[in-house]
C-alpha cells in the first residue's frame, strides 16, 4: 500500500515537472523585419471600358432599308451608317415646297394689288384736288367736292388693306419656309451618320426592320477614350489621389504589365459592396482592347524609405487604426496595442506608433501564445 502511494506521488511530481517544462518551452515564432524603400500599392479589380460610348439611332421611325457598317468597323465623323425608307417624308417635303411656291404666287398677286391701289389713290387724289379748286372758284358744287374727298379716303383705305394683305402673305411665307426646313430636317433624319470618329462595337438591327425613334442601331465608342474602371475596397480608398501611377494586367494577357494613371475617382461608393470606383487611363495598352474584359490594377499610393509592414492576420481587434499584436521583448511574448497607417496590396499595414523600444512584432499569431511565455525567433529560410 505504501508502495502504491509512493508511485502515485512520483507520477504527480512527474506530471507537474512535465507541465512546467512545456509551459517554459520557448515558442518558435516568425517576426516582421523592417523594410527599406517600401512601395505602397492598392489592389483593384475592374474591366476595360470606354469613356465615350454612344448607342446611336434615328430621331424618327420608319423601315430600315440600308446599313453601311458592321461590328468592328472604324468610321469617321459624318460617315453614313444607315438609312430609313424616305418616300413618305419626301412627299411631305414636296408638299411643303408646293405650299411655299403657292405663297410666293399669292405674294406677287398681293404686291400687284398694292400697286393698283396706289394708282387708284393717286388718281382719286388728283380728282379731289381739281374738285376742291373748282369749289373755291364756285364752279363746282360742295357735294361734288365731298364725294371726291370720300373717294380719296376709300382709295387710301383700300391701299392699307392691300399692304396688310402683303404682310400677312409674307408672314405665311415665312411659316411655309420654316415648315419646309422642318420637313427637310426630318428627311435628313432618315439618314444616320457617325457623330464622331468611332469604332462600331455592336450592330443591333438589320435591314427590313421597322424601328422607332430612339431605337439603338449601333453602339459606338471613341477608341481614344478607352480606360480601366476598377473597384477598390473603401478601407483602402482613402489613399487614392488623381495622377497616381498604376500597373494594369489584362485577363487575356496575364504575362504583360501595362502602365496607367488615375484620371478619375468616383464621388459615390457602392453601398452594397462597400467599394469605390476609380478610372485609369493607359499609356501603353494594346491598340486592340475589348470592352468588358477583366483587368487587375495596382495603384501606387506612396513610398517609405523605411517601414514596418505587419500582416493583417497578425493583428487582433483591428479597427483600421488600432489593433493588438504579439511582440517579443527580452525573449518573452507580450501583447501590445499599436497604431497603424497605410495598407498595401499584400494584406499588410504600416506600423505608425506604439511599438516599445527593442520589441519585434510576431508575423502570425502563435499557437499557445501567452503573456510572458518564452519565445525564440525562427531561423530565416535559406
Amino acid at each position: 500500500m505504501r508502495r502504491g502511494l509512493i508511485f502515485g506521488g512520483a507520477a504527480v511530481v512527474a506530471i507537474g515537472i512535465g507541465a512546467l517544462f512545456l509551459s517554459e518551452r520557448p515558442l518558435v515564432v516568425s517576426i516582421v523585419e523592417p523594410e527599406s524603400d517600401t512601395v505602397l500599392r492598392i489592389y483593384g479589380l475592374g474591366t476595360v471600358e470606354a469613356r465615350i460610348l454612344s448607342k446611336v439611332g434615328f430621331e424618327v421611325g420608319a423601315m430600315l432599308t440600308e446599313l453601311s457598317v458592321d461590328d468592328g468597323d472604324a468610321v469617321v465623323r459624318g460617315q453614313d451608317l444607315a438609312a430609313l425608307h424616305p418616300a413618305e417624308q419626301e412627299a411631305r417635303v414636296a408638299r411643303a415646297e408646293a405650299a411655299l411656291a403657292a405663297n410666293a404666287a399669292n405674294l406677287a398677286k398681293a404686291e400687284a394689288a398694292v400697286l393698283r391701289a396706289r394708282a387708284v389713290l393717286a388718281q382719286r387724289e388728283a380728282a379731289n384736288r381739281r374738285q376742291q379748286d373748282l369749289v373755291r372758284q364756285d364752279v363746282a358744287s360742295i357735294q361734288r367736292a365731298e364725294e371726291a374727298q370720300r373717294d380719296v379716303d376709300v382709295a387710301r383705305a383700300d391701299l392699307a388693306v392691300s399692304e396688310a394683305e402683303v404682310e400677312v402673305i409674307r408672314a405665311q411665307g415665312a411659316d411655309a419656309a420654316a415648315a419646309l426646313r422642318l420637313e427637310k430636317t426630318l428627311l435628313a433624319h432618315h439618314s444616320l451618320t457617325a457623330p464622331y470618329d468611332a469604332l462600331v462595337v455592336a450592330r443591333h438591327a438589320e435591314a427590313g426592320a421597322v424601328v422607332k425613334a430612339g431605337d439603338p442601331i449601333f453602339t459606338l465608342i471613341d477608341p481614344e477614350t478607352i480606360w480601366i474602371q476598377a473597384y477598390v475596397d473603401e478601407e483602402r480608398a482613402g489613399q487614392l489621389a488623381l495622377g497616381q501611377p498604376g500597373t494594369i494586367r489584362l485577363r487575356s494577357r496575364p504575362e504583360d504589365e501595362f502602365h496607367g494613371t488615375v484620371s478619375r475617382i468616383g464621388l459615390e461608393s457602392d453601398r452594397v459592396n462597400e467599394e469605390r470606383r476609380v478610372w485609369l487611363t493607359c499609356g501603353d495598352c494594346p491598340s486592340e482592347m475589348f470592352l468588358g474584359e477583366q483587368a487587375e490594377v495596382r495603384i501606387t499610393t506612396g513610398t517609405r524609405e523605411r517601414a514596418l509592414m505587419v500582416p493583417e492576420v497578425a493583428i487582433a481587434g483591428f479597427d483600421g487604426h488600432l489593433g493588438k499584436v504579439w511582440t517579443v521583448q527580452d525573449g518573452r511574448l507580450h501583447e501590445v496595442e499599436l497604431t497603424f497607417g497605410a495598407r498595401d496590396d499584400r494584406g499588410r499595414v504600416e506600423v505608425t506608433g506604439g511599438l516599445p523600444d527593442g520589441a519585434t512584432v510576431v508575423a502570425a499569431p502563435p499557437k499557445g501564445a501567452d503573456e510572458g511565455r518564452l519565445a525564440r525567433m525562427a531561423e530565416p529560410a535559406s
Side-chain angles (χ1 to χ4, degrees):
M1 188 174 178
R2 288 182 59 190
R3 184 180 301 175
L5 292 174
I6 292 172
F7 284 139
V12 171
V13 171
I15 292 172
I17 293 173
L20 179 63
F21 173 76
L22 290 175
S23 65
E24 285 300 312
R25 186 183 66 180
L27 283 177
V28 179
V29 295
S30 298
I31 63 169
V32 179
E33 297 287 353
E35 301 177 7
S36 299
D37 299 324
T38 302
V39 179
L40 301 177
R41 296 187 180 90
I42 295 177
Y43 175 82
L45 185 64
T47 52
V48 177
E49 302 294 344
R51 181 170 57 87
I52 298 180
L53 182 148
S54 310
K55 293 183 181 295
V56 297
F58 294 94
E59 297 182 48
V60 296
M63 185 180 73
L64 192 60
T65 60
E66 180 183 352
L67 292 102
S68 305
V69 296
D70 206 345
D71 297 6
D73 289 347
V75 298
V76 298
R77 181 175 182 177
Q79 179 178 337
D80 288 335
L81 304 179
L84 295 176
H85 191 270
E88 183 177 354
Q89 190 58 38
E90 287 174 345
R92 290 195 177 99
V93 170
R95 181 178 181 181
E97 289 174 339
L100 187 61
N103 178 267
N106 289 333
L107 179 61
K109 180 180 178 181
E111 288 174 341
V114 169
L115 295 176
R116 181 177 181 278
R118 285 175 180 169
V120 171
L121 176 60
Q123 180 186 11
R124 298 291 171 80
E125 286 176 338
N128 182 49
R129 285 193 296 270
R130 288 194 298 270
Q131 290 296 326
Q132 299 303 326
D133 289 340
L134 292 174
V135 168
R136 285 193 294 271
Q137 298 173 12
D138 292 331
V139 175
S141 66
I142 295 176
Q143 181 179 358
R144 293 289 300 273
E146 290 175 350
E147 289 176 353
Q149 182 61 48
R150 181 197 61 200
D151 291 341
V152 169
D153 294 338
V154 171
R156 187 174 288 115
D158 289 341
L159 176 60
V161 170
S162 298
E163 289 175 342
E165 288 180 352
V166 168
E167 295 303 318
V168 169
I169 294 174
R170 282 177 178 165
Q172 292 173 343
D175 180 69
L180 177 60
R181 288 195 298 272
L182 174 61
E183 298 300 345
K184 286 184 175 180
T185 300
L186 294 177
L187 180 61
H189 289 169
H190 282 61
S191 177
L192 181 64
T193 58
Y196 49 84
D197 294 351
L199 186 67
V200 180
V201 176
R203 178 165 138 173
H204 304 290
E206 297 299 332
V210 176
V211 298
K212 301 188 295 296
D215 284 351
I217 307 301
F218 297 102
T219 297
L220 306 179
I221 64 167
D222 183 347
E224 299 298 323
T225 65
I226 294 291
W227 58 4
I228 308 300
Q229 176 185 271
Y231 292 85
V232 175
D233 193 324
E234 278 184 336
E235 290 185 338
R236 291 164 172 78
Q239 301 169 232
L240 291 171
L242 294 176
Q244 290 174 335
T247 59
I248 300 166
R249 289 187 183 275
L250 301 175
R251 191 167 191 179
S252 62
R253 302 179 64 168
E255 72 282 1
D256 296 324
E257 186 175 86
F258 307 101
H259 302 86
T261 305
V262 175
S263 58
R264 181 188 293 178
I265 300 172
L267 299 178
E268 185 178 15
S269 295
D270 189 303
R271 293 173 174 79
V272 177
N273 298 325
E274 298 179 351
E275 294 174 325
R276 188 169 300 169
R277 287 188 298 174
V278 59
W279 288 265
L280 287 83
T281 54
C282 186
D284 58 355
C285 283
S287 58
E288 187 177 42
M289 299 280 280
F290 298 89
L291 297 185
E293 179 176 350
Q294 191 176 90
E296 295 181 349
V297 302
R298 286 176 169 81
I299 302 168
T300 301
T301 59
T303 58
R304 300 287 188 271
E305 292 184 2
R306 191 166 180 80
L308 186 64
M309 305 298 296
V310 177
E312 288 189 47
V313 295
I315 308 172
F318 185 44
D319 63 0
H321 177 60
L322 295 174
K324 293 184 177 181
V325 298
W326 287 101
T327 63
V328 178
Q329 305 174 50
D330 300 325
R332 293 186 178 274
L333 290 174
H334 297 282
E335 195 172 32
V336 177
E337 185 176 66
L338 305 180
T339 59
F340 297 91
R343 307 185 185 191
D344 67 7
D345 60 331
R346 296 162 59 185
R348 305 182 307 170
V349 191
E350 178 188 15
V351 175
T352 58
L355 185 65
D357 293 338
T360 56
V361 178
V362 177
K367 292 183 179 180
D370 198 6
E371 186 72 25
R373 182 166 179 177
L374 290 173
R376 178 169 58 85
M377 299 178 191
E379 296 294 331
S382 56

